[in-house]
Amino acid sequence: MSAPMIPAIETEQTRLDRLYARLDEIRDAAEARLDESRRKHVENEQELSQRDAESHFHRRRIAQLDAVEEGLCFGRLDYLASDRPMYLGRIGLHDEGGEQLLVDWRSEAGRRFYLATAASPAGVRRRRHLHTKGRRIASLNDEVLDLDSADGSGSTIGSEGALMAALDAARTGRMRDIVATIQAEQDRIIRAPLEGIMIVDGAPGTGKTAVALHRAAYLLYEHREQLQRRGVLIIGPGAQFLRYISEVLPGLAETDVLLRTPAQLFPGIVPERPESEAVAAVKGRAVMAGVIASAVADRQIVPRDPQPVHYEGHTLWLRPEKITSARDAARETGLAHNEARETFHKRVIADLAMQYADIIGEDPLGGENLLGLEDRATFAAEIATDPVIRGEIERLWPELTPTELLEDLFASPALLASAAAVLGKEERRLLRREPGGWSEADIALLDEAAEHLGEAERDRGASLDEEQLAYAEDVLSIASGSASFDFEDEESEILQATDVIDAAWLGERQVDRRFVSVAERAAADRRWIFGHVIVDEAQELSPMVWRALLRRCVARSFTVAGDLAQSGNAAAPHSWAEVFDASELSWRAEQLTVSYRTPAEVMAVASRVLDAIDAEAPRPRPVRASGSEPWLEIVQERLPERVAELAAHEARAGEGSVAIVTTPAMAAELAWIDTASVLTVRQAKGLEFDSVIVVDPDAIAEASLRNLYVALTRATKRLGIVAPDKPVFPGAEVL
């Protein structure tokens, strides 16, 4: 027979059963609507689009309801002035009559659960934490906040039992949400206003990532209409990190987010080309924005001498002064290179048409030219179809893609010398390379190039007559608006191109209306503008990556989480002001001061490294001790085999996850170990494990003390260090 249920747990189980029953009812209704939507007959594209949108809505709703299945309800508040408790959960639920059964944690009412204290109870008598497993109450923990209400029944005053239980729980390889244990300093940041750039600064273990993700969920709740249309972009340092956090927001019933690394910001390009840190550092500098702009300008060529072109047995000339005039006119449009190209082409063609008209329309008796404006416009339209002439003009102002621009630039010492004159000779040498693949540092440069180049001209499928009419109209516009082409001032009845191209333009704009989600659309569209951007491990981003991100949120609504002491970049800034003041951006910083993840024993070692990095950096306050002192083992022979033995021992002895963190070279040697995750420091950034073995710490420190600081602070319980010799890094003396 099972043990009798504790009365309080029995009461809460009854309530929980009711909540899950309501969840099932809502899910069944959503599934029925989805089935009905799928079977709906459609007769045209609009009805198909509507059906797809309805189906997506219901699928999304079902996914949200499935995601909150675990831990649906996690808290209860009892008030002094009311005998009706408030239950807090991942989503809000109402019964069919409209009575609220469960309050969403993000609501203003739900905020009391996180802010009420014994010193300031805000009308709360008792806070109850509900610990569930599946659909069953496993245990509960009460905090009596009103001292006069303590009944001696085992409740505690100001208990942190729920928080400690969550921190001591074994890691699973996926980040858990902290929705049941958000602390006051975290809640303030999570619920901060949407506008502006907010920096969440904190040492390892202070919960920067968790706060940033819960802020995303809160903002999507509080600003649903605004952000659901545009979505939220979350930037993380690497693929491992994104996998690690991937289940947090779905578990909070939010799906309108796109998770990306900086290397994934340019759709269609997968950066796989290896590159040295020295080269990447040059490519990341803000000065590269000017280099890209100069590289584009260098492709807008004005010949030194007149260049002959032949048309209908006559020699026409690409005249430098007219090319210069056409180039200036194209630049003055303010359009990107590819979009301004049409203005350039048409002005050059207009000059060639004038030359041709002067030749064949010459009056043999010495009078005025026999050809009028309409004739010259017709010549322009005809010349524009000549492939040889078009090719010569294309050479002066070519259509370019970002990949073509950068491949040409990096492959040519001459182009680099011109566009990158601001760089030193050695820096230009580092940029020099042959075409073939892209590196991670190239992605931000490709994005910058795309901004300068604009979209490539699309084939509109216009007929030859329509092209001729379009050219005729533009030539006449040039003639009437620019005295430099010396066209006659005469009125003429000219067929307007807009009279005949409306159908073509409308045809071009017939797009596939099949419904896709915000995240799907944003993932495929480099120009997508997000409602909010969250950047984690922000200290790793170069100025060029920041430029790319700022383009993706014109409202400048950012949450930036980072710790400058953990930067793996040798040229890392010393303050956030260096990052944002140069761009004249308004920002504010919030400091997280409590380390929830990293136990006191580990911080005692890591703090020595932090002292050597930056004596002024704030020291986080650990909230707990793990009871396990860091250990050191010196292994001079068969090091890989011994590390494997130690990892296997950690996996057997301790519950939870195990990681080996080391240098890239050593990680390659240890890759065969299957009892632990073998990671470089860069790969481990932002992750956490129950047990961590740091291998060859002095080699890590030689590359960067910041990297060693990161490696030492990945452990939530146990830290071990394996070294080939007695280590000398700061902090080794306490081991």
Side-chain angles (χ1 to χ4, degrees):
M1 294 180 60
S2 60
M5 187 176 290
I6 299 173
I9 291 182
E10 185 175 4
T11 298
E12 300 301 359
Q13 185 63 57
T14 300
R15 178 72 179 198
L16 190 65
D17 290 342
R18 183 185 179 191
L19 292 174
Y20 275 110
R22 181 57 181 157
L23 183 73
D24 289 340
E25 290 174 2
I26 297 172
R27 180 163 39 213
D28 290 344
E31 289 175 345
R33 294 190 187 99
L34 175 60
D35 185 60
E36 179 183 347
S37 176
R38 285 170 172 168
R39 291 185 283 105
K40 186 180 294 184
H41 176 71
V42 297
E43 295 185 349
N44 54 52
E45 190 73 20
Q46 183 176 355
E47 291 179 356
L48 175 63
S49 176
Q50 291 174 345
R51 185 184 71 179
D52 286 348
E54 290 175 9
S55 296
H56 173 78
F57 174 82
H58 297 312
R59 284 195 301 269
R60 180 175 175 273
R61 181 58 172 161
I62 293 167
Q64 290 174 329
L65 297 172
D66 288 342
V68 300
E69 173 74 25
E70 187 67 31
L72 173 65
C73 175
F74 55 81
R76 163 179 164 168
L77 287 183
D78 294 333
Y79 294 101
L80 292 169
S82 173
D83 58 0
R84 296 186 61 183
M86 181 194 79
Y87 284 86
L88 197 72
R90 295 174 181 276
I91 59 172
L93 288 178
H94 295 77
D95 66 13
E96 292 183 341
E99 178 186 352
Q100 185 151 34
L101 305 176
L102 190 64
V103 172
D104 193 302
W105 68 274
R106 296 166 289 189
S107 67
E108 190 59 33
R111 191 175 194 186
R112 286 190 181 185
F113 187 81
Y114 304 110
L115 298 185
T117 65
S120 180
V124 175
R125 179 174 62 85
R126 179 179 62 183
R127 174 168 48 221
R128 171 170 287 176
H129 294 269
L130 304 174
H131 311 291
T132 61
K133 187 173 183 179
R135 294 189 170 197
R136 305 297 297 175
I137 298 286
S139 63
L140 56 81
N141 171 261
D142 283 347
E143 299 174 63
V144 175
L145 304 182
D146 179 65
L147 303 185
D148 295 332
S149 300
D151 56 11
S153 62
S155 298
T156 58
I157 298 175
S159 170
E160 294 184 338
L163 174 62
M164 292 300 107
L167 296 178
D168 289 336
R171 268 53 185 174
T172 64
R174 298 282 185 174
M175 186 179 186
R176 296 189 301 265
D177 63 66
I178 60 168
V179 65
T181 58
I182 293 171
Q183 302 301 294
E185 73 168 359
Q186 297 172 329
D187 183 82
R188 183 186 70 254
I189 297 171
I190 289 170
R191 298 175 190 263
L194 172 67
E195 297 77 20
I197 297 175
M198 184 176 69
I199 298 166
V200 183
D201 194 357
T206 53
K208 299 182 296 296
T209 299
V211 167
L213 293 175
H214 287 67
R215 175 162 167 76
Y218 169 76
L219 292 176
L220 283 163
Y221 171 87
E222 187 69 14
H223 304 276
R224 177 73 61 191
E225 183 176 350
Q226 178 179 351
L227 295 184
Q228 198 170 43
R229 292 195 309 269
R230 304 308 310 172
V232 172
L233 173 64
I234 297 178
I235 295 292
Q240 291 95 336
F241 177 84
L242 294 187
R243 285 194 295 271
Y244 176 64
I245 68 170
S246 62
E247 295 179 3
V248 174
L249 283 168
L252 298 174
E254 295 300 345
T255 58
D256 292 319
V257 296
L258 179 65
L259 275 63
R260 284 289 183 266
T261 69
Q264 296 172 315
L265 287 177
F266 200 86
I269 298 293
V270 178
E272 297 178 330
R273 183 167 181 153
E275 191 166 68
S276 71
E277 291 187 9
V279 176
V282 174
K283 291 181 177 180
R285 292 175 54 192
V287 72
M288 288 301 296
V291 171
I292 299 298
S294 295
V296 174
D298 284 347
R299 303 302 294 273
Q300 300 164 0
I301 300 170
V302 174
R304 291 187 177 183
D305 302 309
Q307 303 293 312
V309 293
H310 302 287
Y311 182 71
E312 296 292 334
H314 299 282
T315 298
L316 309 178
W317 296 90
L318 295 171
R319 302 185 284 188
E321 67 275 13
K322 297 301 183 182
I323 302 298
T324 300
S325 177
R327 183 197 63 184
D328 293 346
R331 289 177 174 177
E332 287 170 3
T333 64
L335 298 174
H337 172 88
N338 287 332
E339 293 153 9
R341 170 174 163 271
E342 190 173 11
T343 296
F344 175 82
H345 278 226
K346 289 176 179 177
R347 283 186 171 261
V348 175
I349 288 170
D351 180 52
L352 295 177
M354 185 190 71
Q355 293 179 46
Y356 185 64
D358 287 344
I359 292 171
I360 67 170
E362 183 180 4
D363 184 352
L365 300 179
E368 293 184 358
N369 195 290
L370 301 176
L371 300 177
L373 186 60
E374 298 93 331
D375 299 311
R376 299 180 186 184
T378 301
F379 293 155
E382 292 172 349
I383 290 171
T385 65
D386 186 286
V388 175
I389 292 178
R390 288 296 294 255
E392 287 297 315
I393 300 175
E394 179 73 16
R395 181 177 59 82
L396 301 177
W397 190 297
E399 182 178 74
L400 293 168
T401 65
T403 54
E404 290 169 342
L405 180 79
L406 290 189
E407 282 186 336
D408 292 347
L409 176 65
F410 293 152
S412 170
L415 289 177
L416 278 171
S418 175
V422 67
L423 299 177
K425 185 176 180 179
E426 176 60 20
E427 291 172 319
R428 293 199 298 271
R429 188 193 66 77
L430 289 173
L431 293 178
R432 170 75 175 85
R433 74 174 198 203
E434 293 301 320
W438 301 99
S439 71
E440 290 189 19
D442 289 328
I443 296 300
L445 302 186
L446 289 167
D447 196 76
E448 187 78 24
E451 284 297 303
H452 286 281
L453 294 174
E455 295 297 310
E457 182 181 329
R458 292 175 294 176
D459 180 12
R460 297 174 179 170
S463 69
L464 181 61
D465 289 342
E466 289 170 340
E467 287 185 342
Q468 290 174 329
L469 287 168
Y471 267 106
E473 182 184 7
D474 284 343
V475 168
L476 290 177
S477 175
I478 292 169
S480 61
S482 175
S484 65
F485 285 93
D486 299 323
F487 279 163
E488 298 172 0
D489 184 14
E490 58 185 83
E491 295 184 358
S492 176
E493 292 293 324
I494 302 294
L495 179 64
Q496 298 294 304
T498 52
D499 295 338
V500 296
I501 66 171
D502 285 353
W505 277 95
L506 289 174
E508 179 195 4
R509 283 160 174 71
Q510 292 300 312
V511 296
D512 183 4
R513 293 194 179 94
R514 297 297 295 271
F515 187 86
V516 293
S517 69
V518 167
E520 289 172 321
R521 295 201 303 273
D525 187 354
R526 188 198 67 81
R527 299 171 298 171
W528 187 269
I529 303 299
F530 291 89
H532 189 75
V533 176
I534 290 175
V535 184
D536 206 350
E537 301 295 335
Q539 72 276 357
E540 303 301 322
L541 302 191
S542 71
M544 290 304 296
V545 173
W546 275 115
R547 287 178 62 88
L549 291 178
L550 289 169
R551 283 192 284 269
R552 283 160 172 79
C553 187
V554 295
R556 300 296 191 260
S557 178
F558 280 75
T559 300
V560 177
D563 177 14
L564 295 174
Q566 294 186 64
S567 176
N569 185 350
H574 294 289
S575 69
W576 293 111
E578 289 183 39
V579 177
F580 295 106
D581 285 356
S583 301
E584 299 182 353
L585 297 172
S586 174
W587 58 278
R588 62 190 188 278
E590 295 283 353
Q591 186 78 43
L592 291 173
T593 60
V594 178
S595 179
Y596 301 98
R597 179 187 73 210
T598 311
E601 297 91 338
V602 172
M603 282 306 302
V605 178
S607 292
R608 303 294 184 95
V609 179
L610 184 59
D611 289 340
I613 295 171
D614 185 353
E616 297 181 2
R619 301 306 189 266
R621 175 175 59 85
V623 299
R624 75 195 222 286
S626 67
S628 297
E629 291 294 333
W631 52 264
L632 166 67
E633 182 168 330
I634 297 174
V635 181
Q636 295 180 330
E637 296 181 357
R638 300 180 65 252
L639 186 146
E641 289 76 11
R642 182 53 182 159
V643 170
E645 292 171 1
L646 292 169
H649 173 75
E650 286 291 330
R652 290 192 304 268
E655 179 185 2
S657 57
V658 181
I660 298 167
V661 182
T662 186
T663 63
M666 182 59 70
E669 288 189 46
L670 303 177
W672 56 273
I673 297 176
D674 58 6
T675 54
S677 299
V678 179
L679 304 168
T680 66
V681 176
R682 183 179 182 187
Q683 291 170 333
K685 217 158 247 189
L687 308 183
E688 60 183 33
F689 304 90
D690 293 279
S691 297
V692 171
I693 301 174
V694 176
V695 179
D696 203 355
D698 285 342
I700 296 174
E702 185 178 356
S704 168
L705 273 178
R706 297 171 189 267
N707 281 349
L708 180 59
Y709 182 56
V710 171
L712 294 173
T713 54
R714 298 307 95 197
T716 64
K717 295 179 181 177
R718 299 175 297 279
L719 172 66
I721 296 173
V722 176
D725 295 294
K726 183 178 180 180
V728 296
F729 67 87
E733 65 277 6
V734 304
L735 293 171

